[in-house]
Amino acid sequence: DTHSAARHACCLFDTFARNAGQSDRSDKLQLTSTGSGGLAELREQLDDGKASYAYVRVQYANDKESKREKFILVIWIGPNCKVMRKAKISVHTADVKSVLRVYSMEVPAREKDDLKEEPIIVKLRKVSMDAFGVGPCSHRVYNWQAGGASYDGV
């Protein structure tokens, strides 16, 4: 559930079951790991041949007195992920978003380098400023894309 996922710094969900006897073709979504090491630990946990979702707490400071915590939803499609699994990910993503509804930014990742902390924090700062009407684009919704941010006018 969302509240229990929020207690951990990182929760990794896979669209297959790793238990013996269940096929890689299974569409069952299950929690496969949790951690407290943030994006660095998540990068180590991700499998290049799998598609996974991660709900990650990212902490950062804008100055000495402020500390922020934001959640991001990572949609991981490893570079060696099978074609059918890649095709199913868009359907599964809608289901995941219906459960994990509270996050500041969605981060699609195809390479582990897409999950480097600094570029994500830069985007989170921008999204946070825009949400409070401080930034130049406060009326826009940001979707993180590998290689940059895109936005949809609202």
Side-chain angles (χ1 to χ4, degrees):
D1 85 37
T2 307
H3 296 293
S4 119
R7 287 189 205 124
H8 299 282
C10 178
C11 295
L12 181 64
F13 299 88
D14 286 335
T15 55
F16 61 92
R18 288 189 175 164
N19 298 332
Q22 288 205 300
S23 162
D24 187 39
R25 296 179 186 189
S26 171
D27 289 335
K28 181 180 178 184
L29 185 69
Q30 76 175 36
L31 178 66
T32 54
S33 66
T34 61
S36 58
L39 289 166
E41 182 180 17
L42 174 63
R43 282 193 309 273
E44 292 173 16
Q45 295 285 330
L46 292 171
D47 184 332
D48 284 348
K50 306 294 181 190
S52 304
Y53 301 92
Y55 191 60
V56 184
R57 180 183 305 146
V58 179
Q59 297 177 333
Y60 62 95
N62 287 333
D63 55 42
K64 288 185 217 175
E65 281 102 41
S66 73
K67 183 177 180 182
R68 302 222 186 255
E69 273 189 0
K70 301 289 180 183
F71 285 93
I72 62 171
L73 176 63
V74 174
I75 301 167
W76 168 256
I77 300 175
N80 302 325
C81 186
K82 293 179 181 176
V83 174
M84 285 306 292
R85 180 58 62 195
K86 287 179 185 181
K88 289 183 176 185
I89 202 84
S90 62
V91 174
H92 292 247
T93 299
D95 293 337
V96 169
K97 287 179 178 182
S98 73
V99 175
L100 298 174
R101 290 177 280 205
V102 181
Y103 55 90
S104 298
M105 190 170 65
E106 179 180 326
V107 181
R110 305 297 178 263
E111 301 287 335
K112 291 182 180 181
D113 282 351
D114 294 338
L115 295 171
K116 288 187 176 179
E117 194 166 276
E118 192 53 38
I120 290 174
I121 289 173
V122 167
K123 297 297 179 189
L124 279 171
R125 282 190 176 118
K126 185 170 189 147
V127 170
S128 296
M129 287 183 359
D130 290 346
F132 290 105
V134 177
C137 303
S138 58
H139 63 287
R140 296 184 174 144
V141 175
Y142 281 83
N143 294 310
W144 174 263
Q145 300 291 326
S150 66
Y151 61 86
D152 305 314
V154 176

